[in-house]
């Protein structure tokens, strides 16, 4: 009999090897059927075909607590397979009837596990009859043969737990190598349990084998306790990944089910609590409508008062001009509609989508910070390869000059050069012109991404006094991630209110260019006061105050958001009055980026006048994926925690 079924198994295996395709893409299915089949594989999370063996996944499997729990449960629950069928005086019809009922019990156990999605509880429910059956076999009097027969049949319920244990491995392990290795562990555990079982039946214990039957009760009890512990572990792990614990928070990546990630690498997660969510680009892999729709759905579910998003070079359909020229290289079989893709973001009621533009954000929740800030966002990065939103070196100045000088936060997909931009080949991959622009703007916060390996934070102290070197920096302070290799948040605390933050030397001063609204500008210099009406007919004032023996303050709550169409106004000459600068258009371009002390004509007046309080900028590369393609060079895809920044901004009031 064993030989017959062995030969049948070999024959079926050979047939499957030649007739069954390796993956859905090689099958004879239609295109729609292939798509449907691939979507069915998402839950497996091993991709459509992966033949690479990844040693780090084996190590991860061995260090995973659930591996040893499932293995011990499998060993202890299969000791019962060695139970000796003792010849009892029972009717064969009755015996067959009991077997039929036991088989129905097996089907009921596996069906309810699938129906209720409660594998752990169903395993315990199948082990309990085994424990009771073992007790009947061990402790009933010898003459109670019917009771012992019932006990034997009840122990057979335990066998239905084995497929549920295999399904636990299928559902809770990801990554092909890790799954395959775990299946091997399960098989070895099953075999080990069957080896241990017969050893409990010793000749000296004949004819009742009471110690062996007690061993069945004890091992099944241990298996039930371990299963309950495993279930509690899964509940805790699910809460952790849902955001109750922020230890391993990683964002949802489009099509991560096909990236061959382990369950530790692939996280569906809840973001840390906050007020503003900033996404610095690469919302998708190649900008398909389905990818972007999933990202939008994920962003809209995030519980933040403001969600600000820019695109990146991978979001090719969001760059309509690029896609019209090169889209066929990416989506030859299924062309995408850029208008539909862009509308996903522009029509969202909760997402602020910035495409190289500026907006003002005002947080109004009663229990929130009630702050307001001006933010600029851009998807552009230096051209490299055939990707979207690229620009040449010649185009850089014109592009980044469009960042308003009064911006509080700047989001760019590319990092500035020499700041959070070191690539895997140890080269600075950021944009030098953007770095120069940040010297002039000096926002409180500059957020970027793009260079995966450069994730981190720096506080840059700008040198505003040096007149010999343009765009000079005084120093930069590297951030020591408090969330590295532990369960803490990756927090950057730029506040001073609790005594723990590092603070930020940046008062957000907006300067004195571009006063065009119907308002008053009050100037105080010592004992002299000047009050000017600033209206549609009044030329804009460009005021610069010398710090030598004077104190100055200005009050103009309504200032134009742009710096276009500036002109010169004059004040009556009098002792102690503040000096006025020249119009920057009359000023030599050679002073651009040059430090000094306004109103000196030998410095960048527009960038410095009235803005000397902007001395530091916190630059954050918030890349979530910590490796770049090809990820196998880094041992597979790896991820970072989201960076949390605590920042003090102006508080708005009702009369503003």
């Amino acid at each position: 009999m064993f030989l017959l079924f062995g030969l049948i198994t070999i024959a079926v295996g050979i047939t499957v090897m030649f007739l069954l395709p390796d993956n859905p893409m090689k099958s004879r299915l239609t295109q729609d059927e292939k798509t449907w089949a691939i979507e069915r594989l998402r839950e497996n999370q091993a991709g459509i075909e992966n033949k690479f063996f990844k040693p780090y996944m084996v190590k991860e499997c061995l260090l995973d607590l659930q591996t040893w729990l499932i293995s011990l449960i499998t060993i202890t629950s299969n000791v019962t397979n060695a139970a000796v069928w003792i010849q009892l005086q029972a009717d064969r019809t009755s015996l067959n009837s009991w077997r039929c009922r036991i088989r129905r019990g097996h089907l009921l156990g596996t069906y309810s596990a699938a129906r209720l999605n409660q594998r752990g509880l169903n395993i315990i429910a199948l082990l309990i009859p085994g424990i009771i059956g073992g007790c009947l076999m061990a402790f009933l009097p010898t003459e109670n043969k019917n009771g012992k027969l019932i006990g034997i049949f009840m122990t057979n319920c335990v066998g239905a737990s084995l497929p549920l244990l295999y399904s636990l491995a299928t559902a809770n392990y990801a990554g092909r190598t890790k799954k395959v290795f775990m299946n091997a562990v399960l098989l070895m555990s099953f075999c080990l349990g069957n080896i241990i079982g017969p050893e409990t039946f010793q000749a000296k214990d004949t004819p009742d084998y009471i110690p062996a039957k007690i061993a069945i009760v004890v091992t099944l009890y241990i298996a039930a306790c371990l299963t309950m512990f495993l279930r509690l572990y899964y509940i805790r792990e699910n809460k952790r990944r849902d955001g109750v614990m922020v230890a391993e928070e990683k964002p949802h990546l489009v099509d991560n089910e096909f990236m061959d990630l382990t369950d530790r690498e692939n996280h569906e997660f809840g973001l840390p609590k906050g007020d503003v969510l900033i996404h610095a680009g690469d919302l998708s892999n190649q900008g398909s409508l389905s990818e972007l729709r999933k990202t939008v759905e994920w962003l809209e579910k995030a519980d933040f008062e403001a969600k600000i998003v820019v695109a990146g070079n991978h979001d090719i359909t969001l760059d309509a001009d690029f896609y019209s020229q090169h889209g066929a290289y990416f989506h030859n079989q299924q062309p995408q509609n850029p208008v539909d893709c862009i509308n996903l973001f522009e029509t969202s009621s909760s997402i602020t989508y910035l495409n190289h533009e500026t907006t003002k954000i005002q947080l109004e929740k009663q229990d929130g910070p009630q702050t307001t800030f001006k933010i600029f966002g851009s998807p552009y990065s230096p051209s490299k390869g055939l990707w979207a939103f690229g620009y040449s070196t010649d185009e850089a100045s014109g592009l980044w000059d469009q960042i308003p000088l009064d911006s509080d936060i700047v989001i760019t997909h590319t990092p500035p050069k020499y700041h959070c931009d070191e690539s895997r080949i140890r080269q600075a991959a950021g944009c030098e012109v953007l770095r120069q622009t940040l010297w002039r703007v000096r926002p409180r916060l500059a957020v970027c991404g793009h260079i995966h390996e450069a994730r981190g934070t720096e506080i840059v102290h700008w040198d505003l006094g040096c007149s010999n070197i343009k765009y000079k920096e005084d120093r930069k302070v590297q951030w020591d991630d408090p969330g590295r290799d532990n369960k803490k948040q990756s927090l950057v605390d730029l506040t001073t209110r609790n005594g723990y933050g590092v603070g930020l030397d940046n008062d957000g001063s907006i300067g004195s260019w571009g006063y065009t609204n119907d308002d008053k500008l009050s100037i105080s210099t010592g004992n002299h006061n000047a009050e000017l009406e600033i209206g549609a007919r009044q030329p804009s004032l460009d005021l610069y105050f010398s710090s030598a023996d004077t104190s100055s303050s200005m009050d103009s709550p309504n200032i134009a958001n742009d710096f276009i169409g500036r002109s010169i106004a004059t004040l009556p000459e009098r002792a102690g009055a503040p000096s006025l600068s020249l119009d920057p258009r009359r000023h030599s371009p050679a002073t651009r980026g040059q430090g000094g002390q306004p109103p000196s004509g030998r410095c960048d007046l527009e960038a410095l006048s009235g803005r000397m309080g902007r001395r530091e900028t916190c630059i954050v590369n918030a890349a979530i994926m910590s490796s770049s393609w090809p990820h196998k060079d880094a041992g597979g895809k790896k991820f970072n925690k989201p960076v949390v920044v605590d920042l003090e901004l102006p508080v708005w009031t009702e009369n503003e």
Side-chain angles (χ1 to χ4, degrees):
M1 183 63 70
F2 286 104
L3 181 61
L4 174 62
F5 282 100
L7 292 173
I8 293 175
T9 302
I10 293 173
V12 172
I14 294 174
T15 303
V16 168
M17 184 172 62
F18 284 103
L19 297 183
L20 195 67
D22 295 335
N23 61 68
M25 300 309 296
K26 295 181 180 179
S27 68
R28 289 177 289 181
L29 300 174
T30 65
Q31 187 64 36
D32 291 339
E33 290 171 337
K34 290 178 180 178
T35 302
W36 178 80
I38 291 173
E39 289 299 315
R40 287 286 304 272
L41 292 173
R42 283 187 182 274
E43 186 176 356
N44 186 274
Q45 299 193 26
I48 59 175
E49 184 179 26
N50 193 308
K51 297 180 180 179
F52 293 101
F53 178 80
K54 300 179 179 179
Y56 81 93
M57 289 191 182
V58 174
K59 179 181 178 181
E60 183 178 306
C61 186
L62 291 173
L63 295 177
D64 198 336
L65 177 61
Q66 63 173 328
T67 298
W68 300 107
L69 288 174
I70 294 175
S71 175
L72 289 173
I73 295 169
T74 305
I75 293 170
T76 52
S77 63
N78 280 281
V79 171
T80 59
N81 288 347
V84 176
W85 282 77
I86 303 173
Q87 182 65 36
L88 298 174
Q89 294 180 356
D91 180 71
R92 181 167 294 275
T93 302
S94 176
L95 181 63
N96 290 335
S97 175
W98 274 101
R99 285 177 177 171
C100 181
R101 293 176 190 176
I102 293 299
R103 288 167 186 164
R104 290 175 183 171
H106 289 188
L107 293 174
L108 179 62
T110 53
Y111 172 78
S112 61
R115 181 75 174 178
L116 302 176
N117 194 27
Q118 292 289 339
R119 297 178 181 89
L121 292 180
N122 277 273
I123 290 174
I124 294 173
L126 291 168
L127 293 176
I128 289 174
I131 296 172
I132 297 174
C135 291
L136 294 177
M137 292 167 58
F139 305 121
L140 281 179
T142 305
E143 59 272 11
N144 193 343
K145 297 180 180 180
N146 289 333
K148 288 182 176 290
L149 177 62
I150 293 172
I152 290 174
F153 286 140
M154 292 183 73
T155 57
N156 277 267
C157 291
V158 177
S161 65
L162 183 61
L164 297 181
L165 289 168
Y166 273 98
S167 70
L168 278 177
T170 301
N172 296 293
Y173 285 78
R176 176 186 175 276
T177 302
K178 191 173 183 180
K179 275 181 176 289
V180 170
F181 186 81
M182 184 58 202
N183 285 333
V185 170
L186 267 175
L187 180 59
M188 289 187 290
S189 301
F190 172 76
C191 294
L192 184 57
N194 282 272
I195 291 172
I196 294 173
E199 298 301 320
T200 62
F201 287 83
Q202 300 293 320
K204 62 183 178 64
D205 299 325
T206 56
D208 293 327
Y209 299 103
I210 298 300
K213 295 172 183 177
I214 294 176
I216 291 174
V217 176
V218 173
T219 54
L220 291 180
Y221 178 77
I222 293 173
C225 292
L226 290 174
T227 304
M228 180 56 70
F229 182 80
L230 179 64
R231 184 174 187 272
L232 295 175
Y233 169 78
Y234 282 147
I235 292 173
R236 177 181 177 275
E237 184 72 3
N238 289 336
K239 287 182 178 180
R240 180 183 68 81
R241 298 190 184 195
D242 287 341
V244 175
M245 297 175 66
V246 295
E248 299 290 339
E249 293 170 330
K250 303 287 189 298
H252 173 71
L253 297 175
V254 178
D255 286 338
N256 60 352
E257 299 88 350
F258 301 109
M259 294 180 180
D260 192 30
L261 309 177
T262 71
D263 49 287
R264 297 267 170 175
E265 295 173 311
N266 182 2
H267 294 254
E268 293 295 329
F269 69 103
L271 289 165
K273 292 181 179 180
D275 303 298
V276 180
L277 174 64
I278 295 176
H279 197 305
D282 280 353
L283 303 157
S284 64
N285 185 35
Q286 290 187 355
S288 68
L289 183 63
S290 61
E291 288 180 302
L292 294 172
R293 182 179 288 115
K294 291 174 185 176
T295 301
V296 169
E297 291 173 354
W298 173 72
L299 288 169
E300 289 179 335
K301 291 177 182 177
D303 186 18
F304 292 83
E305 186 173 355
K307 288 166 273 191
I308 306 160
V309 172
V310 302
N313 59 314
H314 279 262
D315 306 315
I316 59 175
T317 54
L318 301 183
D319 187 348
D321 292 337
F322 173 87
Y323 195 77
S324 64
Q325 299 180 53
H326 307 293
Y329 290 100
F330 297 89
H331 303 142
N332 185 36
Q333 298 297 322
Q334 294 181 321
Q336 306 291 301
N337 187 339
V339 175
D340 293 340
C341 295
I342 294 171
N343 283 340
L344 287 173
F345 294 91
E346 292 186 342
T347 60
S348 174
S349 60
S350 63
I351 297 174
T352 300
Y353 176 65
L354 298 179
N355 186 11
H356 203 73
E357 55 191 311
T358 304
T359 191
K360 185 177 181 180
I361 301 294
Q362 184 162 303
L363 306 181
E364 300 179 347
K365 283 187 176 180
Q366 292 298 320
D367 57 348
Q370 296 189 331
T371 187
T372 182
F373 54 91
K374 187 172 184 178
I375 187 167
F376 173 87
S378 175
Y380 289 97
S381 56
S383 294
K384 184 178 181 181
L386 195 63
W387 293 102
F389 297 109
Y391 61 89
S392 65
T393 303
D394 294 338
E395 297 171 314
S397 294
L399 191 72
W400 298 125
D401 274 353
Q402 297 172 41
I403 302 178
L405 291 183
D406 61 342
S407 299
D408 295 299
I409 299 174
V410 172
I411 310 172
T412 57
H413 185 54
T414 183
K417 197 162 190 177
Y418 307 124
H419 297 291
C420 301
D421 71 330
E422 186 175 304
S423 68
R424 66 173 180 269
I425 59 174
R426 315 294 289 180
Q427 290 183 354
C431 177
E432 170 60 20
V433 177
L434 176 59
R435 187 195 71 83
Q436 296 174 5
T437 303
L438 291 181
W439 183 95
R440 304 189 76 238
V441 178
R442 303 186 300 284
R444 288 182 169 98
L445 186 64
V447 182
C448 60
H450 193 43
I451 309 301
H452 302 170
E453 297 84 358
R455 180 258 194 185
T457 297
E458 296 176 357
I459 296 179
V460 181
H461 187 93
W462 309 103
D463 188 337
L464 306 182
C466 180
S467 59
N468 299 322
I469 302 175
K470 292 186 176 183
Y471 309 108
K472 187 182 178 184
E473 300 169 13
D474 181 36
R475 64 183 180 275
K476 64 180 179 181
V477 179
Q478 297 283 351
W479 173 60
D480 186 14
D481 185 359
R484 183 185 294 111
D485 301 326
N486 56 45
K487 297 181 179 181
K488 297 180 180 179
Q489 288 184 341
S490 293
L491 176 65
V492 182
D493 191 350
L494 301 177
T495 68
T496 56
R497 58 178 178 267
N498 57 14
Y500 295 103
V502 298
L504 191 69
D505 189 3
N506 192 320
D507 62 5
S509 51
I510 59 177
S512 51
W513 295 94
Y515 291 89
T516 56
N517 295 319
D518 294 328
D519 239 315
K520 291 183 178 181
L521 176 68
S522 298
I523 306 167
S524 174
T525 60
N527 295 322
H528 301 278
N529 295 303
E531 187 172 86
L532 299 178
E533 293 288 341
I534 304 174
R537 297 181 182 180
Q538 182 71 33
S540 300
L541 291 176
D542 299 319
L543 303 177
Y544 305 96
F545 309 112
S546 173
S547 60
D549 299 324
T550 62
S551 61
S552 61
S553 65
M554 58 184 179
D555 181 17
S556 181
N558 294 316
I559 299 175
N561 288 336
D562 59 273
F563 294 86
I564 301 174
R566 305 178 182 87
S567 59
I568 292 298
T570 59
L571 287 175
E573 291 290 338
R574 54 186 172 181
S579 302
L580 296 177
S581 76
L582 296 174
D583 187 335
R585 292 172 299 176
R586 304 178 189 177
H587 214 64
S588 170
T591 61
R592 182 183 176 92
Q594 193 162 291
Q597 182 62 55
S600 169
R602 293 188 297 273
C603 65
D604 190 335
L605 293 175
E606 184 182 31
L608 300 179
S609 297
R611 307 177 71 251
M612 297 296 285
R614 291 184 175 229
R615 294 187 174 274
E616 289 184 340
T617 297
C618 179
I619 299 177
V620 177
N621 183 323
I624 289 295
M625 186 172 287
S626 63
S627 58
S628 298
W629 187 91
H631 300 280
K632 64 181 181 180
D633 294 342
K637 294 183 177 69
K638 297 180 180 179
F639 303 92
N640 299 310
K641 297 178 184 178
V643 178
V644 180
V645 179
D646 201 352
L647 179 66
E648 292 176 328
L649 290 167
V651 177
W652 62 271
T653 56
E654 291 293 342
N655 59 4
E656 285 189 344

